[in-house]
Amino acid sequence: AVGGSVTLPELVKAVAQKRERLRTVGNAVVQLTPHVAQVLEAYASAITAYLQAKLPPGDLYVVCGGGALGLIWPQMEAWFRDSDIPAVYVGKGLTGELQQLFSDRTDFESTSQTDQGLRFADALGCYRAMSCRLQREHQQQLEHNGLLTALTVRK
């Protein structure tokens, strides 16, 4: 749709960087602005096709991260909801907290525009999501054990 020999990952990266044009192989310049919606739709379709092929059956809880995912999260959130798969998106929302955590570090560029900042936000978000899930499972186990104890004592 955009013309030239440009791959979807190249297009998504250019859109995520808010570039208005992209130079293709052979030095042709492609104007991206009119094609942003098509690029994002193709990206969302590629991600959902991959998930449909790779997600195992059963009880799932998906933690999603990555810099470009923020561009298509509304579509992905709807897909997860329609598929009855609980999912959460982490990443850019945590970069403010990371800026505070690393404010005294001169070797860490904590702006949300950097890949390093987004990767740290992804990792922090995944840790938080897994930690919360483990806490919920632990609480459920304690409640289950307490119920078993109460039933045993009443006998």
Side-chain angles (χ1 to χ4, degrees):
V2 299
S5 57
V6 184
T7 66
L8 182 58
E10 291 171 315
L11 288 170
V12 171
K13 183 176 180 181
V15 168
Q17 294 172 341
K18 298 184 183 347
R19 293 170 50 195
E20 293 180 8
R21 54 187 170 269
L22 180 67
R23 193 171 297 279
T24 67
V25 176
N27 281 335
V29 175
V30 175
Q31 294 297 327
L32 292 177
T33 307
H35 305 287
V36 170
Q38 288 174 300
V39 168
L40 295 178
E41 183 57 39
Y43 182 45
S45 294
I47 298 295
T48 55
Y50 175 84
L51 292 172
Q52 287 171 335
K54 298 292 182 177
L55 284 178
D59 191 23
L60 297 172
Y61 183 84
V62 180
V63 178
C64 304
L69 186 61
L71 298 171
I72 60 165
W73 180 244
Q75 297 96 310
M76 296 306 304
E77 186 175 35
W79 181 82
F80 281 116
R81 187 177 47 252
D82 293 344
S83 301
D84 290 326
I85 299 172
V88 63
Y89 170 63
V90 298
K92 287 188 178 185
L94 296 174
T95 54
E97 184 175 338
L98 284 171
Q99 287 175 344
Q100 287 182 322
L101 289 172
F102 289 103
S103 62
D104 62 341
R105 296 282 308 261
T106 58
D107 59 336
F108 180 76
E109 176 57 49
S110 62
T111 65
S112 63
Q113 303 301 322
T114 66
D115 286 341
Q116 185 182 32
L118 290 173
R119 298 296 74 85
F120 272 108
D122 290 345
L124 178 60
C126 288
Y127 167 78
R128 284 227 176 117
M130 287 185 278
S131 175
C132 287
R133 184 173 184 182
L134 286 173
Q135 287 175 351
R136 276 193 315 272
E137 289 174 357
H138 180 71
Q139 183 63 35
Q140 289 171 346
Q141 186 65 38
L142 289 175
E143 290 169 2
H144 177 74
N145 289 345
L147 179 62
L148 288 177
T149 303
L151 289 174
T152 305
V153 171
R154 288 185 181 172
K155 284 185 177 182

